[in-house]
């Protein structure tokens, strides 16, 4: 059985949360990123796009209903969300074949 990938966050900006002990959190546009790679899941180069890495913040924490690090996230990359997983009101259900051919 394949192990599920854990995605971290790369973002266009950052802010510091004073309530949680001066923790660095993402802001602006966020992308899913696999630690150890130099590009996001959608193919953007981290250095050329000037994206900041947040290895301590998981991808599910960027969703507004998570209550995690999503306070100042303005936009999630739709291509990254389709690969890393998407939750929320605008998420379409996963594709499922109901009547497969024999």
């Amino acid at each position: 059985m394949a192990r599920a990938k854990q995605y971290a966050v790369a973002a266009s900006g950052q802010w510091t949360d004073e309530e949680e002990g001066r923790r660095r959190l993402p802001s602006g546009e966020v992308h899913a990123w696999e630690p150890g790679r130099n590009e996001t899941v959608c193919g953007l180069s981290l250095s050329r796009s000037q994206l900041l890495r947040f290895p301590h913040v998981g991808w599910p924490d960027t969703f507004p209903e998570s209550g995690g690090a999503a306070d100042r996230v303005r936009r999630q990359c739709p291509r990254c969300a389709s690969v890393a997983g998407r939750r929320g009101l605008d998420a379409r259900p996963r594709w499922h074949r109901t009547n497969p051919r024999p």
Side-chain angles (χ1 to χ4, degrees), residues 40-71:
T40 62
V41 174
C42 65
L44 290 177
S45 172
L46 293 174
S47 61
R48 289 186 184 202
S49 301
Q50 297 180 349
L51 295 173
L52 302 168
R53 298 175 179 111
F54 296 90
H56 59 282
V57 178
W59 177 251
D61 290 338
T62 62
F63 293 100
E65 63 271 3
S66 72
D71 291 343

Side-chain angles (χ1 to χ4, degrees), residues 5-93:
K5 292 185 179 182
Q6 299 293 322
Y7 295 103
V9 175
S12 61
Q14 69 178 359
W15 67 286
T16 305
D17 187 11
E18 300 294 335
E19 294 176 1
E20 292 188 27
R22 298 190 49 88
R23 196 172 129 187
R24 223 174 41 98
L25 295 173
S27 68
E29 183 174 356
V30 294
H31 295 267
W33 164 65
E34 288 182 72
R37 299 197 53 147
N38 291 327
E39 64 181 10
T40 62
V41 174
C42 65
L44 290 177
S45 172
L46 293 174
S47 61
R48 289 186 184 202
S49 301
Q50 297 180 349
L51 295 173
L52 302 168
R53 298 175 179 111
F54 296 90
H56 59 282
V57 178
W59 177 251
D61 290 338
T62 62
F63 293 100
E65 63 271 3
S66 72
D71 291 343
R72 298 202 182 159
V73 171
R74 297 289 171 239
R75 181 178 184 266
Q76 291 177 333
C77 172
R79 293 187 295 178
C80 289
S82 68
V83 173
R86 181 187 315 215
R87 296 184 311 179
L89 301 175
D90 65 334
R92 288 185 270 157

